[in-house]
Amino acid sequence: PVCWEGCVRCLHAQLEKSEDGRLIYTGHLARAVFGVKCFSYSTSVISLASLSYIFAQSNTVFGSLPLQILFYGIIGGATIIPVLSYLITSAYVIRLYHEATTDTYKAITYNFVLSETSTEFHRNDVKIVNSTDAFTTFYAKTKSLFVNPALFPNPEDYNHLMGYDKPFTFGMEEASEKEQLRDEK
């Protein structure tokens, strides 16, 4: 009974409220994504700085093919890896807020310079993606966002976000309704 008190208290606790609305999702990989991006950026800056220093000190032209491959490989890796890490992790949602009165959401993600960026959207702006889109759960307006459905404390919040709580209608019914409206005009 004493051990159950903590569980019951946890289950019935109000989720964090803020001016953005009620916090309905927190991405568990937010710190890892931030750390990987910081590491990627710092190693790129260090490698570019050290490479330029070595190049300035040696004052030689890279005449041999292996040295040219090494030089351009380091420069290419130092510039491409941060861009790839951004493209892969830019859709990862750190936090997601829901404002129930207006039925709007606010997704917090990291931008290229590692500051938090918010994307505000309405429930009607959510488009579910095809299974071919990697690192994307849904589109909010035109921005791709990635969430883990298992990390929503309340599964109903995820269902509401994705529109799974709407009544299900077959495409045939919608098409026949459109035809009837067109015939009436």
Side-chain angles (χ1 to χ4, degrees):
V2 174
C3 63
W4 289 99
E5 287 180 28
C7 294
V8 171
R9 195 175 321 119
C10 177
L11 289 173
H12 290 292
Q14 179 74 18
L15 290 176
E16 182 182 331
K17 291 230 176 205
S18 74
E19 65 277 353
D20 298 325
R22 183 174 56 95
L23 179 65
I24 61 170
Y25 174 84
T26 303
H28 288 194
L29 295 177
R31 295 184 82 185
V33 167
F34 186 81
V36 166
K37 283 185 167 185
C38 282
F39 179 75
S40 172
Y41 292 163
S42 63
T43 56
S44 294
V45 167
I46 290 170
S47 65
L48 288 175
S50 63
L51 198 61
S52 63
Y53 176 76
I54 291 170
F55 185 67
Q57 292 298 321
S58 68
N59 204 14
T60 60
V61 176
F62 295 121
S64 68
L65 183 62
L67 282 177
Q68 286 181 353
I69 292 172
L70 178 69
F71 177 74
Y72 292 119
I74 291 173
I75 288 180
T79 55
I80 290 174
I81 290 173
V83 171
L84 286 176
S85 71
Y86 167 73
L87 291 175
I88 291 172
T89 61
S90 65
Y92 186 74
V93 175
I94 302 165
R95 292 183 309 277
L96 184 65
Y97 296 95
H98 180 239
E99 180 59 48
T101 56
T102 58
D103 203 14
T104 56
Y105 292 89
K106 187 173 191 178
I108 309 295
T109 57
Y110 287 128
N111 64 8
F112 192 74
V113 292
L114 296 178
S115 64
E116 293 184 356
T117 303
S118 66
T119 303
E120 295 186 24
F121 57 96
H122 191 272
R123 176 184 169 188
N124 296 333
D125 298 330
V126 173
K127 306 259 184 300
I128 301 171
V129 299
N130 299 333
S131 60
T132 58
D133 294 345
F135 305 113
T136 302
T137 308
F138 63 93
Y139 287 99
K141 296 180 181 174
T142 58
K143 182 171 173 79
S144 64
L145 296 173
F146 179 71
V147 295
N148 183 352
L151 296 181
F152 281 84
N154 184 2
E156 293 302 315
D157 288 329
Y158 177 74
N159 291 340
H160 184 71
L161 169 69
M162 300 301 280
Y164 296 152
D165 59 347
K166 293 179 185 174
F168 183 74
T169 59
F170 293 102
M172 303 292 264
E173 292 174 357
E174 293 173 2
S176 64
E177 289 175 5
K178 289 179 183 177
E179 286 179 18
Q180 286 177 352
L181 288 173
R182 188 175 46 214
D183 292 339
E184 290 174 2
K185 291 180 182 180

